[in-house]
Amino acid sequence: MEHIRTPKVEQVRLLDRFSNKSTNGTLYLTATHLIFVESSSNNSTSAGQEIWILHHHIASVEKLSLTTSGCPLVIQCRNFRVVHFVVQRERDCHDIYSSLLRLLRPVSYEELYAFSYNPKQNDQQREEGWQLIDLGAEFERMGVPCDQWQLTDVNRDYKVCETYPRDLYVPITASKPIIVGSSKFRSKGRFPVLTYFYQEKKAAVCRCSQPLSGFSARCLEDESMLQAISKANHNSRYVYVMDTRPKLNALANRAAGKGYENEDNYSNIRFQFVGIENIHVMRTSLQKLLEVIGTRSLSMSDYLVGLESSGWLRHIKAVVDAAIFLTKAVTVEGASVLVHCSDGWDRTAQVCSLGSLLMDPYYRTIKGFMVLIEKDWISFGHKFADRCDQLDGDPKEVSPIFTQFLECVWQLTEQFPQAFEFSEWFLLQIHEHIHSCQYGNFLGNNQRQREELQLRERTHSLWAFLMSERQNYLNPFYSPAYSEAHPVLVPSTLPYNFKFWRNMYHQFDRSMHPRQSILKTILTLRENSRKAESTLQALESRLQQLGVTPITTSDPPAAPPTRDQRSNSSAYPPRPDSLILGAPINPKEVQRQQEEDNEQEEVGEEATESTDTERTVEGSSGTESRKQSYGELEGTYNSELAKEEPAVVSLEFGVARMTC
């Protein structure tokens, strides 16, 4: 609280960035949130609007030049919310600006919101939330350990690689000297380890970092490590090595003593560059995208050119292409794959997790997706603290790597809506809390840091919160039968399949044209139907208690006759008047009706004589009002209706007409 100079400022205007509308209200500054409360005079019929912005969501604050209406303050958030305030007094604006600059840049982890957030849970509930995800059980689900893969304790004390987890799975033929030697030849000590095991083909997906090969260096232990991975799969004689970087970048790293595997030194490997750009290119691309979508009054051509020049969707496509290559190598060829980039915690995490998602239906469920993130991102040391700018650090380390992964998943949900148990709101909620620092799951850069911060004892787990609200994230189109029939997804990467994710980047822009979520509508209808059925059952139970027999519904109506049945039937059903009300019936129809009337008179039944060509459909109102409404059509269609035509149904002036 010592950083807050002015906790409350009145007469603040909130401007909409896509319209000329504004809202008056009061701005509050607390230790954790910036809150804007709309004045009651703006909306007298309902409660005033409230906007709560976590300090950790704020990416930048800009104080613009003083104007005649006040001092503008523009706040851009990491969840892509943009708010534009106008404060009447320049001094108040400066106080808010200075306070936010300090509050949005914490210098230690203890200042983050997760350490003060209290959802009113006891220690046991907190621990249960953290125990929700068990990676040991996840590897057992894959079938590991097995006769070819084992759990090693070589990194039990983080002595071999401090950015890897304690529990690692390696080939059973890889001894500790081989593991330690391989780690010394890999950047940051990140040697090849198992991340996913495809049981059907006994193929493995492994991950690591780039080798310290330079132009000619080699390591026998590292070569033995890749040989052990190859021997662990009897269904293939070779191992794919996927370098997710562009080849030019890998060549540049060679000059710095790093680089990539030399196929002459490694037996039975097939090397493949993929071409995903580095963190700096991705950061610049997102900045260009946000500039385009935040500009008012762009023409369609300028908008599309700007979207293309940002390169954002092109980068999304590159990640999906890499995941498809990985999936085909494992599921079609039955080959094991080793994936790496520079340090093995950015592009490697994207490709391994997305490839696993394509291969395994379990990861396309809500619980499975949590396990996937915990395994390939949190456990294997994606640098969330640096990439998401949690502390006041190097801005060059910030990059939207995890945001790209979530968008790749969303693109897949658009192509395969029946294959995913969760909707896009689940992805958006995860993205929200990646940057909120409200839960402890994503704090820090690796597991060792999280243990040192004692996050399990001092913070709460996001996964428990998401599971408690599971019903809000269900996808109504999800079909478990579809996942069983299509366990492996093969997406198309043609350009027209990649869309702009409006609900990610314009989630908070309420002034844009109204849009209705189909998923939310269907979920609402399902919930209303469920409540109605529950109420009906309760009422029926109450009636039975009172000794009243509930009224049963009648049998369902019979299906309408087919065309053959209608053609073979001798008795035609009575035909109503022409559907164009007030118009005469076709002469052929009149003749047929007269013949039927004569037959009825012969058997002695009472016949209804019809002297007028106009009749009323049973159950409808009288014809006088209809004649007034459609009288003008009568003269127009008399001549056409008198002609003998084949049976057709057409629409005239929005009214169906049938002639025969």
Side-chain angles (χ1 to χ4, degrees):
M1 294 294 290
E2 66 273 10
H3 304 300
I4 300 176
R5 299 184 179 183
T6 305
K8 178 181 178 181
V9 179
E10 297 181 340
Q11 298 299 316
V12 176
R13 284 195 304 134
L14 173 63
L15 305 182
D16 187 89
R17 65 170 178 162
F18 290 112
S19 69
N20 297 321
K21 297 179 180 179
S22 64
T23 305
N24 293 327
T26 303
L27 203 59
Y28 297 89
L29 191 59
T30 71
T32 57
H33 289 80
L34 177 68
I35 308 169
F36 176 80
V37 180
E38 180 184 355
S39 300
S40 58
S41 58
N42 293 326
N43 193 352
S44 57
T45 60
S46 61
Q49 174 192 15
E50 291 187 6
I51 297 178
W52 290 59
I53 302 175
L54 264 171
H55 297 327
H56 305 303
H57 271 152
I58 299 176
S60 65
V61 183
E62 184 179 6
K63 187 166 75 76
L64 305 181
S65 301
L66 185 65
T67 64
T68 55
S69 59
C71 187
L73 190 68
V74 180
I75 298 175
Q76 295 187 357
C77 301
R78 297 184 179 92
N79 57 358
F80 309 117
R81 181 200 289 269
V82 178
V83 288
H84 191 165
F85 295 115
V86 176
V87 185
Q88 282 192 344
R89 297 177 56 191
E90 197 275 339
R91 181 175 179 178
D92 291 338
C93 183
H94 181 74
D95 288 345
I96 295 291
Y97 172 74
S98 302
S99 300
L100 287 177
L101 282 182
R102 177 60 186 87
L103 291 169
L104 66 88
R105 296 290 183 191
V107 295
S108 66
Y109 285 106
E110 284 72 12
E111 295 182 32
L112 296 176
Y113 185 35
F115 291 93
S116 60
Y117 173 65
N118 182 16
K120 297 181 180 179
Q121 292 182 353
N122 56 39
D123 292 341
Q124 181 180 355
Q125 291 173 322
R126 183 208 305 263
E127 183 61 28
E128 289 175 356
W130 283 108
Q131 292 175 352
L132 191 63
I133 305 299
D134 184 359
L135 293 185
E138 169 58 16
F139 278 96
E140 288 179 3
R141 186 192 68 85
M142 297 182 205
V144 178
C146 61
D147 57 343
Q148 297 297 330
W149 293 89
Q150 65 177 347
L151 173 65
T152 178
D153 60 353
V154 69
N155 201 45
R156 184 68 64 184
D157 299 322
Y158 300 108
K159 291 182 179 179
V160 177
C161 178
E162 64 178 12
T163 62
Y164 267 175
R166 292 179 182 271
D167 296 333
L168 297 170
Y169 294 84
V170 296
I172 203 165
T173 57
S175 62
K176 286 188 177 181
I178 289 178
I179 295 173
V180 174
S182 176
S183 69
K184 293 179 180 178
F185 189 66
R186 294 281 171 172
S187 176
K188 310 296 184 184
R190 296 172 67 91
F191 59 93
V193 293
L194 179 72
T195 181
Y196 180 71
F197 185 67
Y198 189 66
Q199 279 187 284
E200 185 177 336
K201 296 289 182 71
K202 305 299 180 183
V205 178
C206 300
R207 58 184 295 171
C208 62
S209 60
Q210 64 181 336
L212 305 179
S213 57
F215 289 101
S216 58
R218 58 185 298 183
C219 174
L220 296 179
E221 290 86 357
D222 193 68
E223 295 169 15
S224 299
M225 189 70 179
L226 266 66
Q227 186 69 22
I229 294 175
S230 177
K231 290 181 178 179
N233 182 6
H234 300 300
N235 297 322
S236 179
R237 294 177 298 175
Y238 54 86
V239 175
Y240 276 106
V241 177
M242 284 181 62
D243 192 327
T244 59
R245 301 168 293 178
K247 186 175 182 179
L248 191 62
N249 295 20
L251 290 173
N253 282 337
R254 255 188 163 183
K258 301 177 182 179
Y260 54 92
E261 291 81 357
N262 187 341
E263 292 185 81
D264 295 334
N265 298 333
Y266 293 86
S267 60
N268 300 328
I269 72 166
R270 293 187 178 182
F271 195 84
Q272 179 70 39
F273 283 110
V274 176
I276 303 174
E277 297 291 347
N278 60 31
I279 61 172
H280 312 294
V281 175
M282 300 307 185
R283 181 178 60 250
T284 303
S285 177
L286 180 61
Q287 290 172 350
K288 291 180 179 179
L289 176 71
L290 297 179
E291 289 175 4
V292 171
I293 66 176
T295 304
R296 293 178 58 177
S297 305
L298 272 183
S299 65
M300 178 60 76
S301 59
D302 290 341
Y303 176 81
L304 294 176
V305 169
L307 188 62
E308 167 62 23
S309 62
S310 73
W312 183 252
L313 291 179
R314 188 165 61 250
H315 299 317
I316 297 294
K317 179 183 182 300
V319 177
V320 177
D321 279 330
I324 292 174
F325 179 88
L326 169 65
T327 302
K328 289 183 177 179
V330 172
T331 60
V332 178
E333 299 183 37
S336 295
V337 182
L338 176 65
V339 184
H340 72 74
C341 51
S342 296
D343 294 321
W345 49 46
D346 290 319
R347 289 165 283 196
T348 301
Q350 287 179 328
V351 175
C352 289
S353 56
L354 203 62
S356 301
L357 191 80
L358 293 175
M359 289 185 281
D360 197 331
Y362 174 67
Y363 295 134
R364 303 195 284 268
T365 64
I366 290 179
K367 176 73 177 292
F369 193 70
M370 296 177 185
V371 172
L372 181 67
I373 294 175
E374 188 78 29
K375 174 174 66 74
D376 277 324
W377 292 86
I378 298 175
S379 172
F380 275 111
H382 176 66
K383 299 170 66 177
F384 281 104
D386 292 345
R387 299 293 181 259
C388 300
D389 201 18
Q390 292 175 359
L391 300 180
D392 189 11
D394 185 0
K396 292 182 180 180
E397 287 291 306
V398 179
S399 190
I401 302 302
F402 190 77
T403 300
Q404 276 188 322
F405 164 69
L406 292 179
E407 179 156 348
C408 289
V409 176
W410 176 78
Q411 299 285 355
L412 294 177
T413 64
E414 290 292 291
Q415 286 198 41
F416 306 98
Q418 292 180 283
F420 292 84
E421 185 185 24
F422 50 83
S423 67
E424 67 174 335
W425 304 110
F426 182 64
L427 303 175
L428 291 172
Q429 188 75 305
I430 292 176
H431 184 263
E432 185 84 3
H433 289 295
I434 289 296
H435 298 285
S436 72
C437 298
Q438 184 173 345
Y439 297 93
N441 303 70
F442 304 103
L443 301 188
N445 285 325
N446 51 65
Q447 291 291 67
R448 182 176 184 176
Q449 280 188 4
R450 297 183 185 101
E451 291 181 8
E452 292 172 352
L453 290 170
Q454 297 180 332
L455 295 181
R456 281 179 171 262
E457 294 77 22
R458 303 172 63 189
T459 66
H460 296 268
S461 172
L462 172 64
W463 307 135
F465 166 72
L466 293 179
M467 288 301 290
S468 67
E469 294 194 341
R470 185 175 180 274
Q471 293 297 324
N472 297 335
Y473 311 124
L474 291 176
N475 171 22
F477 302 125
Y478 174 63
S479 171
Y482 180 89
S483 295
E484 292 179 5
H486 305 83
V488 179
L489 300 183
V490 185
S492 170
T493 56
L494 293 174
Y496 62 78
N497 286 305
F498 292 91
K499 308 174 184 177
F500 173 72
W501 193 359
R502 183 182 59 189
N503 283 336
M504 168 68 90
Y505 304 105
H506 286 304
Q507 180 183 174
F508 302 98
D509 296 321
R510 301 303 180 190
S511 65
M512 298 181 69
H513 61 85
R515 54 187 186 270
Q516 185 178 17
S517 170
I518 298 176
L519 291 178
K520 281 192 171 182
T521 302
I522 295 177
L523 288 175
T524 302
L525 291 174
R526 280 189 172 183
E527 181 64 18
N528 292 340
S529 177
R530 186 189 64 80
K531 290 180 179 179
E533 291 177 357
S534 177
T535 303
L536 177 61
Q537 293 176 358
L539 291 174
E540 288 178 347
S541 300
R542 180 60 177 163
L543 288 174
Q544 291 177 356
Q545 293 175 1
L546 296 174
V548 180
T549 303
I551 301 174
T552 58
T553 58
S554 59
D555 295 335
T562 63
R563 177 179 297 181
D564 294 338
Q565 291 172 340
R566 289 196 300 267
S567 61
N568 296 331
S569 177
S570 58
Y572 289 92
R575 179 180 182 273
D577 284 346
S578 170
L579 295 179
I580 298 182
L581 302 179
I585 298 180
N586 191 289
K588 184 177 180 180
E589 179 70 15
V590 175
Q591 182 180 358
R592 186 174 67 82
Q593 184 63 39
Q594 289 176 351
E595 292 175 356
E596 291 177 359
D597 291 342
N598 292 335
E599 292 175 0
Q600 292 175 0
E601 290 176 356
E602 290 176 0
V603 296
E605 295 181 356
E606 181 180 351
T608 302
E609 210 174 281
S610 177
T611 58
D612 196 342
T613 57
E614 180 185 2
R615 290 167 294 173
T616 306
V617 180
E618 183 180 358
S620 63
S621 59
T623 60
E624 292 299 325
S625 60
R626 298 189 212 128
K627 283 187 177 182
Q628 293 177 1
S629 303
Y630 294 93
E632 296 178 1
L633 299 176
E634 184 173 357
T636 307
Y637 293 101
N638 276 347
S639 59
E640 294 182 10
L641 292 172
K643 299 177 182 178
E644 292 188 8
E645 299 175 354
V648 296
V649 177
S650 62
L651 288 175
E652 298 290 347
F653 295 94
V655 183
R657 175 170 66 90
M658 178 178 286
T659 59
C660 57

